[in-house]
Amino acid sequence: MQTGKIPLHIVVVSCGNRLQEALVVIKSALLFNTNKEYLKFLIFTENTDKFREKLTDWKDLVPYPFDFELLQLKFPKQNEVKWKNLFQPCAAQRLFLPSLLTNVDSLLYVDTDVLFLSPISNVWTFFKKFNETQMAAMTPEHESGSENIGWYNRFALHPFYGKLGINSGVMLMNLTRMREFNWENQILPIYKEYKSRIPWGDQDIINILFHYHPDKLYVMPCEYNYRTGHCMYTRVCNTSHLGIKLMHGNRHIFHNDNFPLFKTVYEIIENYTLGSNPYTNFLLPLRRGLNQESVVNSSCGMISSDVLKISSTLFDDLSEDLYEK
Ligand SMILES: *[C@@H]1O[C@H](CO)[C@@H](O)[C@H](O)[C@H]1NC(C)=O
Ligand SMILES: *[C@@H]1O[C@H](CO)[C@@H](O)[C@H](O)[C@H]1NC(C)=O
Ligand SMILES: *[C@@H]1O[C@H](CO)[C@@H](O)[C@H](O)[C@H]1NC(C)=O
Ligand SMILES: *[C@@H]1O[C@H](CO)[C@@H](O)[C@H](O)[C@H]1NC(C)=O
Ligand SMILES: *[C@@H]1O[C@H](CO)[C@@H](O)[C@H](O)[C@H]1NC(C)=O
């Protein structure tokens, strides 16, 4: 624990078979924390022993201090089982963060199937851009021009944010403001009214809430939550200048062969040993992996230079002797 320094809190909720994925997103945050921000991971899980073991090991390997805390899953007593099983196991946990983490001012929530490809300080800067009413930041579910493939605009049986909805896989939350807004008292009536019409569970609830309170949401650009929909038909998220900041492998694409580029990025971070040289053990394998013909030719294969952009800037000139504790 560093005295006097407020950590950047990152929240992950991991149930069932999501343990390995959650460890990989945490590893990616540590790998890309090149400006050595003081990070604190808050992990809601049933697997406390496995997380404790791994993260304690990592504390010895990473060349700067970080913290973590393991928390029991917790839901309102009323409707406890329903909340737990809403959408994917445990995904609804984040709806209750304002009242569970009363000592925390603000945090970044990420789904377990997200990867950092840039320092967390990049996404954190959006807090400073909030105006007086904004309390959370997310990216659009689809970019404009994607109406023909949009889910919410074509199928939703409930109100949603904006023209095409928002994706909740990457979410900055100012809990102080959410508590002032009485967030949880707003969530429960929404759940009661719409529970039979919200196939995406917590994300739908968040969309309904911000439909009625659009002034409370800051919309971040798509490179902070890059998904296959941004590249599978045409490129609708322009990352050629800034690169891809966070990648989101929803629908299990890190684990199947539908999008080899996404799977390759995931595996190379999974295979990287924290504390080892990121140039030789991360950047070079990533370049090799993304240059394979089977990746280049595949759906979304054309974004490899955008995936590599930030990593190249950060890790290209790290020789063995520069990377020391
Ligand atoms: C969150 O909002 C509170 C209340 O407006 C403010 O004091 C605090 O600085 C905000 N936190 C961040 C990280 O911007
Ligand atoms: C903050 O920004 C949002 C989105 O642009 C807007 O709807 C809201 O009115 C703004 N709030 C203030 C106090 O300016
Ligand atoms: C992407 O954005 C950059 C800078 O904003 C711009 O110069 C470039 O033309 C854009 N590319 C496309 C394909 O829109
Ligand atoms: C990661 O490591 C596994 C086991 O050593 C290996 O089979 C796999 O090919 C590696 N993945 C990549 C993308 O290098
Ligand atoms: C990749 O695409 C190129 C050009 O279209 C083609 O010549 C090559 O055979 C393809 N390779 C694979 C592995 O499909």
Side-chain angles (χ1 to χ4, degrees):
M1 185 78 184
Q2 291 186 330
T3 44
K5 217 174 165 194
I6 298 170
L8 306 188
H9 289 96
I10 304 176
V11 170
V12 177
V13 181
S14 163
C15 284
N17 61 9
R18 295 290 186 149
L19 170 83
Q20 180 59 13
E21 249 185 23
L23 285 170
V24 178
V25 61
I26 292 169
K27 188 197 279 188
S28 71
L30 291 169
L31 164 63
F32 278 92
N33 186 26
T34 48
N35 39 22
K36 304 187 175 159
E37 295 286 351
Y38 175 36
L39 307 183
K40 181 165 182 180
F41 298 94
L42 303 175
I43 304 157
F44 287 86
T45 182
E46 300 151 330
N47 287 311
T48 48
D49 291 349
K50 288 191 183 136
F51 277 103
R52 184 171 296 109
E53 190 184 322
K54 208 64 184 170
L55 285 156
T56 306
D57 281 354
W58 286 354
K59 273 188 157 188
D60 289 335
L61 296 176
V62 172
Y64 55 81
F66 73 89
D67 261 322
F68 67 90
E69 195 175 329
L70 299 165
L71 298 141
Q72 295 295 325
L73 296 154
K74 215 165 158 187
F75 294 88
K77 277 278 165 284
Q78 203 192 359
N79 287 329
E80 187 169 356
V81 174
K82 266 189 209 136
W83 279 119
K84 268 194 182 168
N85 296 318
L86 185 65
F87 191 39
Q88 282 164 2
C90 300
Q93 182 69 75
R94 64 121 130 238
L95 297 175
F96 306 103
L97 297 178
S99 69
L100 294 175
L101 303 172
T102 49
N103 295 325
V104 177
D105 168 69
S106 42
L107 57 82
L108 172 64
Y109 167 92
V110 283
D111 281 350
T112 56
D113 54 1
V114 164
L115 295 170
F116 284 85
L117 296 177
S118 64
I120 183 177
S121 49
N122 287 17
V123 63
W124 205 268
T125 56
F126 289 108
F127 277 125
K128 304 227 162 53
K129 299 185 178 172
F130 284 16
N131 66 22
E132 290 120 70
T133 43
Q134 287 160 334
M135 60 183 186
M138 279 168 278
T139 67
E141 173 69 17
H142 296 281
E143 294 307 296
S144 56
S146 309
E147 286 76 6
N148 54 331
I149 59 161
W151 161 268
Y152 285 113
N153 57 311
R154 291 185 301 156
F155 304 119
L157 301 173
H158 58 78
F160 53 89
Y161 176 85
K163 288 200 166 66
L164 299 169
I166 39 172
N167 185 281
S168 60
V170 176
M171 183 174 182
L172 288 172
M173 303 185 185
N174 183 320
L175 297 187
T176 306
R177 292 185 177 189
M178 290 168 82
R179 283 187 287 264
E180 281 166 8
F181 172 64
N182 244 326
W183 169 269
E184 284 162 45
N185 289 348
Q186 318 276 344
I187 289 295
L188 285 161
I190 291 176
Y191 173 66
K192 288 203 174 115
E193 181 170 353
Y194 293 100
K195 60 186 168 191
S196 61
R197 295 177 268 161
I198 46 173
W200 303 104
D202 58 324
Q203 173 168 307
D204 291 341
I205 290 177
I206 289 169
N207 265 283
I208 295 167
L209 188 136
F210 287 108
H211 170 85
Y212 292 111
H213 301 279
D215 56 317
K216 308 221 175 295
L217 180 71
Y218 183 99
V219 179
M220 296 190 288
C222 52
E223 65 266 25
Y224 287 88
N225 184 354
Y226 197 92
R227 280 156 292 135
T228 54
H230 292 134
C231 47
M232 65 190 292
Y233 302 112
T234 54
R235 298 189 60 170
V236 293
C237 175
N238 182 352
T239 49
S240 62
H241 279 55
L242 296 173
I244 292 171
K245 308 271 191 181
L246 289 104
M247 174 173 262
H248 185 177
N250 53 356
R251 301 177 198 182
H252 298 280
I253 52 151
F254 288 148
H255 312 290
N256 61 38
D257 293 319
N258 296 344
F259 293 91
L261 178 135
F262 283 73
K263 187 184 186 188
T264 301
V265 176
Y266 175 85
E267 282 190 4
I268 284 167
I269 295 174
E270 184 180 38
N271 287 0
Y272 170 71
T273 302
L274 274 172
S276 71
N277 188 305
Y279 173 72
T280 43
N281 299 328
F282 170 68
L283 183 58
L284 291 185
L286 187 63
R287 278 197 184 132
R288 272 197 302 274
L290 298 187
N291 278 327
Q292 294 172 97
E293 215 171 63
S294 57
V295 172
V296 174
N297 277 16
S298 67
S299 183
C300 291
M302 76 298 230
I303 64 163
S304 60
S305 60
D306 298 5
V307 172
L308 284 161
K309 206 167 189 90
I310 299 166
S311 297
S312 297
T313 313
L314 294 175
F315 303 127
D316 221 351
D317 48 6
L318 278 182
S319 72
E320 284 295 344
D321 33 309
L322 273 174
Y323 196 72
E324 275 175 5
K325 270 205 159 193

